[in-house]
Amino acid sequence: MTRRLISSGSPFEHQAGYSRAVVDGDYVHVAGTTGYDYATMTMPEAIKDQARNALATIASVLEEAGTSLDQLVRVHYYLTNREHADGLFAITGEVLGDIRPAATLLICDLLNEEMLVEIEATAKLPK
């Protein structure tokens, strides 16, 4: 299978030199995705809204790659504050609760202060 790059249209992809996702072999590797609404280039203030936006972007990219959230095997969550965990988990539990990919949560700084969460994901392509 040929390596394929997927873009979500974010200006950050070209500026920073990365792809929103890379299809390689049997997997789709989705770059860390924050909660921007790429249609309006705005960032909501609430952790739940940012998490929902990030997962929607990931779902859209996975669909373009030929797979879906149902095929997630791994996620990494990066939070700027452990106090946001409950808000994040409310959304990830709602969206991924039946899928239950392997997951890791890290508390860290993100590039911009408005960013509260970043989600990185890996999904398997269906056979």
Side-chain angles (χ1 to χ4, degrees):
M1 176 177 273
T2 305
R3 182 174 180 233
R4 182 165 58 113
L5 307 179
I6 297 176
S7 173
S8 64
S10 165
F12 303 127
E13 294 170 26
H14 186 272
Q15 179 184 10
Y18 73 96
S19 294
R20 174 62 48 213
V22 176
V23 179
D24 193 5
D26 293 334
Y27 292 92
V28 180
H29 306 274
V30 182
T33 303
T34 61
Y36 277 107
D37 175 339
Y38 289 108
T40 63
M41 285 311 293
T42 59
M43 178 72 79
E45 291 183 24
I47 183 65
K48 288 182 180 181
D49 295 331
Q50 288 191 25
R52 194 176 301 284
N53 282 357
L55 289 169
T57 298
I58 291 167
S60 176
V61 169
L62 291 175
E63 182 178 331
E64 184 175 342
T67 190
S68 66
L69 290 175
D70 291 340
Q71 299 302 311
L72 283 176
V73 295
R74 186 83 168 117
V75 292
H76 293 109
Y77 303 114
Y78 303 93
L79 281 179
T80 58
N81 188 319
R82 63 184 32 89
E83 292 176 11
H84 296 308
D86 287 342
L88 171 66
F89 294 156
I91 302 306
T92 59
E94 174 186 314
V95 175
L96 304 177
D98 292 334
I99 301 164
R100 296 179 47 203
T104 299
L105 170 68
L106 296 167
I107 307 300
C108 62
D109 285 334
L110 294 176
L111 184 59
N112 297 326
E113 289 196 25
E114 65 186 350
M115 297 172 177
L116 304 178
V117 62
E118 187 167 338
I119 303 172
E120 179 182 5
T122 303
K124 191 150 175 62
L125 290 168
K127 295 274 180 183

